Amino acid sequence: MQLLSASVARPGQRLLRFDRRLGARFVAGADEAGRGSLAGPLVVAGVLLDYECLRDHKVRPLADLNDSKQLSHADRERLFRAVIGCAEKVSVHVFAPWRIDREGLHRSNLNGLRAALHALSPPAEVCLVDGFRLGPTAPPHQAVVDGDEKSAAIAAASIIAKVIRDRAMRRMDALYPQYGFRSHVGYITPEHSAVVRLRGPSDVHRLSFQALCYEDARDHTAARG
């Protein structure tokens, strides 16, 4: 029973085994945070792991790696520091809301994933991406469905992207306190939608996002006029 509990409590061991089975020394993973957000940036991160060096005490901090969405804020912050300490290299690319509106969310995401992998390769021998095929302009790569739940490199990238984005949104909360960014970090919630309906979008909202609260905000503005 104790062995089973330890296995369940340390999912990073399973993710690390996935990467090691690829038979490469340098494995790169890329993932994003904020693709479904109504406000704030899209953050894309890449992490390069050197599996020749990740042994014994050096790999232990990654034993709790998991998809960033399945971790608490405190665990993400702790693993963020662990990844920074263990990774051979980390790459981060940030797309502002205005750039997402101009270039499109999907294109921005693909461009960010390509840039993240290019920044890590070489020496990356294997490049893994969470779910997306990036086309011939990207380094040779594998699209892994639900990759942040399978690969340590992708999960590490998801944590880097999520922590950096959440920190940015909490700083934005000081500039736009009425929108509640500290609690929902820009994603759609009933409270977030209600504020947008009342006040309209802020300068950091993505106006290209097809959101009902934007339509309601315009209707309310027209009615007041």
Side-chain angles (χ1 to χ4, degrees), residues 146-193:
D146 296 327
D148 46 8
E149 300 176 10
K150 298 175 181 176
S151 160
I154 296 178
S158 78
I159 288 168
I160 295 293
K162 175 66 173 168
V163 169
I164 288 177
R165 187 181 185 280
D166 284 1
R167 289 176 179 178
M169 294 307 298
R170 292 187 174 96
R171 288 193 294 270
M172 289 180 191
D173 184 75
L175 299 174
Y176 306 95
Q178 62 270 33
Y179 289 94
F181 290 145
R182 177 168 290 276
S183 61
H184 54 66
V185 293
Y187 288 91
I188 295 179
T189 65
E191 294 77 14
H192 188 186
S193 296

Side-chain angles (χ1 to χ4, degrees), residues 11-33:
Q13 295 170 348
R14 172 176 54 82
L15 276 63
L16 289 159
R17 284 196 298 270
F18 178 94
D19 287 6
R20 289 190 189 279
R21 284 197 294 266
L22 299 170
R25 172 178 175 178
F26 292 104
V27 178
D31 200 5
E32 51 73 28

Side-chain angles (χ1 to χ4, degrees), residues 25-71:
R25 172 178 175 178
F26 292 104
V27 178
D31 200 5
E32 51 73 28
R35 193 158 54 94
S37 178
L38 184 66
L42 172 75
V43 177
V44 183
V47 171
L48 180 68
L49 298 179
D50 179 353
Y51 278 97
E52 186 170 295
C53 295
L54 280 180
R55 299 186 183 280
D56 302 325
H57 68 283
K58 291 185 178 180
V59 77
R60 287 174 194 155
L62 301 183
D64 293 324
L65 268 179
N66 204 348
D67 171 13
S68 63
K69 297 184 291 295
Q70 299 184 32
L71 297 168

